[in-house]
Amino acid sequence: MKKQKDAKTGLEIESNNLEINSFSLSLATNNQPLSSNEVEFGETLYITLNDVKGFVLKNNNCFPGCEIALTDSKGNQILYIQDAYERYSKDGVSQTDARTLNSDLNIGYPMQVNETYVWKIRFWDKEGKGEIKSELNLKVKANRTKIDYKTEGN
């Protein structure tokens, strides 16, 4: 088992029987790495695992799974997806495609500004025993963009 932690964001990654070379958190708006665990309401957050190795092959393909959970600071479940990669269960993906695993999270309702959430993702090998778990405590902050609504005739 290998554990890694990003000092800037607090993202924790634990891998067991699967290897990753690097990982990143980024925002959809600028594709830049996240520099803290604070994310603006309305953003989309991406996690990317790079150079993943160790999948058990079946018909020369890999069969990754991706479980996603989001809870609030009280432990209430906001979101749960048993397998976001379900569409790959029948035929799998190429070894090349499985080298990069990713997931995203839209920061929006029912999430609330100034609240903290725990985003957990578990990537796993459906044909083997490998898994990669990630956990991030994230704080939702107000969106900096001010929208000025004007009505006709004003």
Side-chain angles (χ1 to χ4, degrees), residues 4-6 10-11 21 25 30 34 48 55-56 61 83 88-89 100 103 110-111 115 126-127 135 139 142 147-148 152:
Q4 302 174 58
K5 185 172 183 175
D6 179 64
L11 173 67
N21 185 39
L25 278 172
N30 58 15
L34 202 61
T48 304
F55 282 99
V56 173
N61 279 339
D83 187 5
Y88 307 128
S89 292
T100 303
S103 184
M111 299 170 83
E115 291 294 327
K126 294 177 182 175
E127 295 297 320
E135 184 172 321
K139 183 172 183 179
I147 300 174
D148 187 17
E152 194 173 314

Side-chain angles (χ1 to χ4, degrees), residues 5-6 8 13 35 37 51 86 93-94 100 104 108 127 135 145:
K5 185 172 183 175
D6 179 64
K8 292 180 183 178
I13 303 280
S35 58
N37 71 332
D51 203 18
E86 177 70 30
V93 297
S94 71
T100 303
D104 61 53
E127 295 297 320
E135 184 172 321
T145 306

